[in-house]
Amino acid sequence: MCVPETAQYCRTSNLIARMCRIHRHQLGGHADQFSETHSRVTSVGSTGGITEVGSSFSSGGFSNYFGIPSYQSADVASYLAAIGSTNSGRFNRTGRAFPDVAAQGESFEIAWNNQFGLVDGTSASAPTFASIIALINDQLVAAGKPVLGFLNPFLYSSTGRAAFNDITSGTNPGCNTNGFSARAGWDPVTGLGTPDFVKLKAAVGL
């Protein structure tokens, strides 16, 4: 999901939503997806289940193009300290980390050619998160308040992160490794976690 600094409303695009298994590029040393790891993009991972767990396909890792932005530097340092030498040499420890957040991305029911089916993917979780932000912006407009615009500094602030459910289980395996693991705080599987709409409203003053 892309939320440029100048945006008035949360917008998505097929390019930004196409996040599946980017962690394989990060761990395998191949070129990562350029746009999804930009510091001005809000990157969305995936969870599943009632008791949420990070999805195995939830993309995450560290950019080979962009450095760590200041808004997430403390979280990245904490995660890297926690994993120690795990996957050492298989990802860029100084790269911009993603995803920033997550949302449900498993067993989404869709209709196509008069048939119904279930699908999984961050192409489901990204627009879900975008829709939540769009609802928040709509209520901000109705209240005569400015919309959120560029999200990331707010998300990583103490006020913003308090509106998210911290997901501490799940991995995103790839490249013959177990990938990264979800843990308390930010992680490269579910980011800061999944949004709580009621808490998010309160966090923005609604």
Side-chain angles (χ1 to χ4, degrees), residues 45-123:
S46 172
T47 62
I50 301 300
T51 300
E52 291 184 288
V53 175
S55 302
S56 62
F57 57 79
S58 185
S59 57
F62 301 84
S63 177
N64 290 325
Y65 292 106
F66 305 107
I68 302 171
S70 59
Y71 57 73
Q72 67 170 189
S73 58
D75 289 278
V76 173
S78 177
Y79 185 83
L80 292 177
I83 67 172
S85 61
T86 303
N87 293 321
S88 179
R90 299 183 69 86
F91 67 95
N92 178 17
R93 295 177 70 92
T94 63
R96 187 272 207 258
F98 68 102
D100 300 298
V101 295
Q104 286 276 329
E106 298 183 15
S107 299
F108 268 60
E109 187 172 22
I110 63 169
W112 179 257
N113 285 340
N114 297 317
Q115 295 183 335
F116 291 88
L118 300 179
V119 298
D120 302 336
T122 49
S123 291

Side-chain angles (χ1 to χ4, degrees), residues 8-10 130-148 196-206:
Q8 287 191 327
Y9 292 92
C10 184
S131 299
I132 291 170
I133 300 302
L135 289 172
I136 292 292
N137 278 342
D138 185 63
Q139 293 193 24
L140 286 169
V141 170
K145 298 183 178 184
V147 296
L148 292 176
D196 182 311
F197 188 72
V198 173
K199 290 181 180 179
L200 194 55
K201 286 178 58 177
V204 301
L206 288 170

Side-chain angles (χ1 to χ4, degrees), residues 13 21 37 59 67 81 95-96 103 138 149 155 157 161 173 179 184 197 204-205:
S13 72
R21 303 188 186 279
T37 61
S59 57
R96 187 272 207 258
D138 185 63
L155 297 177
S157 70
R161 70 175 61 238
F197 188 72
V204 301

